[in-house]
């Protein structure tokens, strides 16, 4: 239908609290119903049905008895009509049923399970009420979470700089990764569910292999914090049977990132990064190097790579590094250009590569051993957080300033890319 693009379909003005996040239910969306969740800065979550014009909606956590902190993200559970998750700046994640009420008193909880850096509670109540479950994840705000394409796993990134991946139904921890320093702000899955990409306050994008449980690459191109990451599902194997065992030349994983530096970066993950071949044998025999099993369906014959070249020899790697990060598997990689001048407000990657010393310190200057956080001095140089020279360092295929204010949204559609910034502009490219 020819819509009037000068007028919004719906407009609401809120006083005393600001909308911070939203999510449409794609599973139930149709001509009769268009379910929308909106999270707010004071902790409430509103349910609206935009297909029903007279709908006033329902408000969850209205009295702020469940959580008083800002809602950082709301998401419908994949392929469900009623269940949704809301994460908060308190570091808590709540499971709601949109058809159940919230109680008139503060909820009481029972511990269901716990593990390294997380605890899960159920709501004690004789009658069903929200929240159904409460997760305490890491320390500091829970900045973003994302479901895997099959809906079975949940990746969470927190201000403590840790990526945690859970098996959602059993509430068990499947894997962890630590940022180079600072908090992690955004996370996304590759369309085939093999890789998780994060961005954060270390100005880097980090690619983590779900199958191998390790960092396979980092990308350096931003000059400030990375706010949004997203895979391009139209150029990437989706794992639904479309990707053959031996894809044709040129098939690769492509993703984008957008940051507070107002720059958009486009990255390619190629075969030589994801499945590096051992170097040719030297004159002196070297001990054999164990390598993880190769994963079927990954690109096998790619003509180009966007990993940075290295003029020198192999790295000197800490003996604490596991075998998969040994010198036989990865060449040392350095930046082509000299690092950018250090930001005045924030730590920067440039400061680390000059040996500024910030990498060894826990984020925020506080004690590294607080609830759920991992002491930076202990994890740097391990599989949880390899040093910069221990994994391939990618450079972006495209790095372009596209806004005047920090970028906050990145979305790949079939014929364009959508970005949004804090100036309030939504752009298609």
């Amino acid at each position: 239908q020819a819509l009037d693009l000068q007028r919004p379909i719906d407009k609401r003005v809120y006083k005393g609290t600001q909308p911070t996040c939203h999510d449409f239910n794609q599973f139930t969306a149709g001509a009769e119903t268009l379910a929308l969740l909106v999270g707010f800065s004071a902790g409430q979550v509103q349910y609206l049905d935009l297909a029903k014009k007279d709908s006033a909606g329902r408000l969850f956590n209205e009295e702020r008895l469940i959580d008083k902190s800002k809602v950082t993200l709301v998401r419908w559970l994949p392929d469900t009509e009623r269940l949704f998750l809301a994460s908060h700046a308190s570091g808590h994640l709540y499971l709601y049923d949109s058809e159940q009420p919230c109680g008139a008193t503060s909820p009481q909880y029972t511990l269901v399970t716990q593990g390294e850096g997380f605890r899960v509670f159920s709501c004690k109540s004789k009658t069903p009420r929200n929240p159904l479950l409460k997760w305490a994840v890491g320390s500091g705000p829970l900045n973003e979470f994302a479901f895997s394409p099959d809906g079975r796993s949940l990746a969470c990134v927190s201000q403590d700089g840790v990526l945690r991946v859970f098996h959602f139904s059993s509430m068990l921890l499947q894997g962890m990764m630590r940022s180079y320093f600072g908090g992690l702000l955004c996370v996304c899955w590759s369309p085939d569910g093999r890789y998780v990409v994060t961005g954060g306050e270390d100005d880097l994008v980090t690619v983590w292999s779900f199958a191998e449980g390790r960092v396979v690459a980092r990308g350096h191109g931003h000059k400030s914090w990375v706010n949004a990451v997203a895979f391009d599902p139209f150029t990437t194997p989706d794992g639904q049977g479309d990707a053959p065992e031996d894809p044709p030349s040129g098939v690769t994983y492509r993703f984008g990132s957008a940051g507070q530096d107002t720059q958009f970066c486009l990255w390619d993950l190629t075969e030589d990064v994801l499945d590096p071949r051992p170097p040719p044998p030297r004159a002196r025999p070297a001990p054999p190097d164990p390598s993880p099993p190769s994963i079927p369906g990954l690109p096998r014959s790619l003509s180009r790579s966007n990993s940075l070249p290295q003029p020198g020899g192999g790295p000197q790697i800490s003996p604490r590094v596991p075998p998969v990060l040994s010198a036989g598997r990865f060449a040392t990689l350095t930046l082509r250009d000299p690092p950018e001048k250090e930001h005045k407000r924030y730590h920067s990657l440039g400061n680390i590569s000059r040996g500024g010393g910030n990498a060894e310190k826990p984020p925020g200057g506080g004690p590294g051993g607080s609830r759920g956080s991992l002491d930076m001095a202990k994890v740097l140089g391990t599989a949880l957080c390899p040093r910069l020279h221990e994994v391939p360092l990618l450079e972006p295929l495209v790095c372009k300033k596209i806004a005047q204010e920090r970028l906050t949204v990145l979305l790949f559609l079939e014929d364009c890319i959508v970005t949004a910034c804090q100036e309030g502009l939504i752009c298609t490219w």
Side-chain angles (χ1 to χ4, degrees), residues 346-358:
Y346 313 124
H347 295 311
S348 74
L349 180 68
N351 194 34
I352 286 185
S353 47
R354 285 197 302 273
N358 295 317

Side-chain angles (χ1 to χ4, degrees), residues 6 20 39-40 43 65 79-80 96 98 102 104 132 147 155 183 202 214 241 316 333 344 347 350 369 416 421 429:
Q6 301 304 314
T20 54
F40 291 89
L65 298 172
D79 302 336
T80 56
Y96 285 88
S98 62
C102 297
L132 308 180
F147 279 98
D202 53 9
R214 66 180 183 92
Q316 298 300 312
L333 295 138
K344 288 176 182 171
H347 295 311
C416 66
C421 69
W429 305 88

Side-chain angles (χ1 to χ4, degrees), residues 3 68 128 192 196 254 266 271 284 320 360 363 390 429:
L3 292 169
K68 291 182 167 60
D192 61 3
V196 177
R254 174 164 292 178
L266 201 58
E271 174 197 23
R284 236 180 355 197
R320 289 181 294 162
E360 298 280 356
E390 292 167 357
W429 305 88

Side-chain angles (χ1 to χ4, degrees), residues 177-420:
M177 184 272 292
R178 176 68 162 77
S179 69
Y180 197 68
F181 69 86
L184 288 174
L185 305 177
C186 51
V187 62
C188 69
W189 290 81
S190 64
D192 61 3
R194 296 181 190 276
Y195 299 98
V196 177
V197 169
T198 66
E201 296 176 359
D202 53 9
D203 303 4
L204 300 167
V205 293
T206 302
V207 185
W208 184 78
S209 167
F210 178 58
E212 299 174 61
R214 66 180 183 92
V215 176
V216 292
R218 288 195 181 101
H220 177 239
H222 287 283
K223 300 181 180 70
S224 189
W225 298 358
V226 180
N227 278 345
V229 285
F231 272 87
D232 179 356
F234 306 101
T235 61
T236 299
D238 63 4
Q240 306 301 317
D242 300 335
E245 285 297 313
D246 293 302
S249 177
V251 174
T252 187
Y253 292 84
R254 174 164 292 178
F255 65 94
S257 58
Q260 299 201 6
D261 55 1
T262 71
Q263 291 195 116
F264 165 72
C265 292
L266 201 58
W267 312 82
D268 268 3
L269 268 177
T270 52
E271 174 197 23
D272 59 321
V273 171
L274 298 175
D275 189 20
R277 299 281 189 264
R282 298 172 186 167
R284 236 180 355 197
D289 180 39
S291 60
S294 62
I295 303 174
L298 284 187
R300 278 277 171 268
S301 51
L302 290 161
S303 55
R304 66 172 181 170
S305 158
N306 62 322
S307 62
L308 290 162
Q310 164 59 22
Q316 298 300 312
I317 294 188
S318 154
R320 289 181 294 162
V321 178
V324 291
L325 295 174
S326 67
R329 288 189 53 82
F330 299 116
T332 310
L333 295 138
T334 58
L335 303 175
R336 274 183 186 153
D337 304 315
E340 292 291 326
K341 191 175 178 185
E342 184 186 356
H343 320 317
K344 288 176 182 171
R345 258 183 84 194
Y346 313 124
H347 295 311
S348 74
L349 180 68
N351 194 34
I352 286 185
S353 47
R354 285 197 302 273
N358 295 317
E360 298 280 356
K361 296 175 185 171
S370 60
R371 174 177 72 86
S373 69
L374 297 168
D375 189 341
M376 195 63 232
K378 291 177 183 172
V379 299
L380 189 66
T382 68
L384 275 175
C385 181
R387 296 176 188 272
L388 275 187
H389 65 262
E390 292 167 357
V391 290
L393 200 58
L394 307 179
E395 64 173 357
L397 298 173
V398 173
C399 191
K400 187 172 175 61
K401 178 182 170 70
I402 61 169
Q404 297 302 317
E405 289 289 336
R406 55 186 67 171
L407 293 159
T408 55
V409 174
L410 176 63
L411 181 65
F412 284 89
L413 301 180
E414 197 160 5
D415 57 347
C416 66
I417 298 168
V418 180
T419 61

